[in-house]
Amino acid sequence: MSQQQAQRVVAIYPGSFDPITYGHLDLIRRSSGLFDRLIVSILRNEAKQPLFSLEERTDMLREVATGFPNVEVDSFDGLLVDYARRRGAKVVLRGIRAVSDYEYELQMTHMNRRLNPQIETVFLMANDAYSFISSKLVKEVFRLGGDISELVPPAVLDRMLGMAAHRVSDSR
Ligand code: PNS
């Protein structure tokens, strides 16, 4: 392995991304400049009932990540640290929006460190313009008829509008 290859830093940005928001996208944009390779990876969680299927979430992420040549979209199940090791990643990237995120992230970080001390979790603070956005709230606001066009990329908005239109036509 050349010295250049040995120094390449691969980071995993894991999450549910149901759906991807402008907050996630901002983190992808900023971290793609910090690491040689960024793997945005969707947790395949059978226990959760997502709004979007894994395939839909993958498609939307790929669509919004096209502008970033060092960003790859993937999915995983099982332990995050095992997946990171398989993918040759030394870093797990997470975003923190507010103090309320901190406790959950702290627990995960310590657990992951205990499972594999060689993998570091790196946090980026969310841009203040996006610090109030969560996938959960986006879905709720949309379901109740609110405008989410400034919260999610067009690839997501179009799909959500399409879903809603489908539901209306089904109920006629
Ligand atoms: O977007 P989310 O739901 O906050 O992401 C949570 C995620 C996917 C990062 C977390 O649930 C995860 O890493 N799951 C994989 C299972 C695992 O490794 N658990 C033990 C360490 S906490």
Side-chain angles (χ1 to χ4, degrees), residues 14-17 24 41 43 48 76 78-81 94 104-105 107-109 111-112 115:
S16 307
F17 304 105
H24 296 125
S41 200
L43 174 67
K48 266 195 186 175
F76 76 104
L79 285 176
L80 174 62
V81 289
R94 293 285 288 172
Y104 171 55
E105 296 298 335
Q107 270 188 334
M108 284 203 296
T109 302
M111 183 59 78
N112 285 333
L115 293 166

Side-chain angles (χ1 to χ4, degrees), residues 25 28-30 32 64-72:
L25 183 56
I28 293 172
R29 182 185 60 75
R30 288 160 56 205
S32 69
V64 301
T66 44
F68 308 100
N70 63 337
V71 174
E72 172 191 336

Side-chain angles (χ1 to χ4, degrees), residues 155-168:
V156 176
L157 184 65
D158 290 350
R159 271 189 177 75
M160 289 183 81
L161 290 171
M163 261 181 177
H166 199 69
R167 241 177 256 142
V168 169

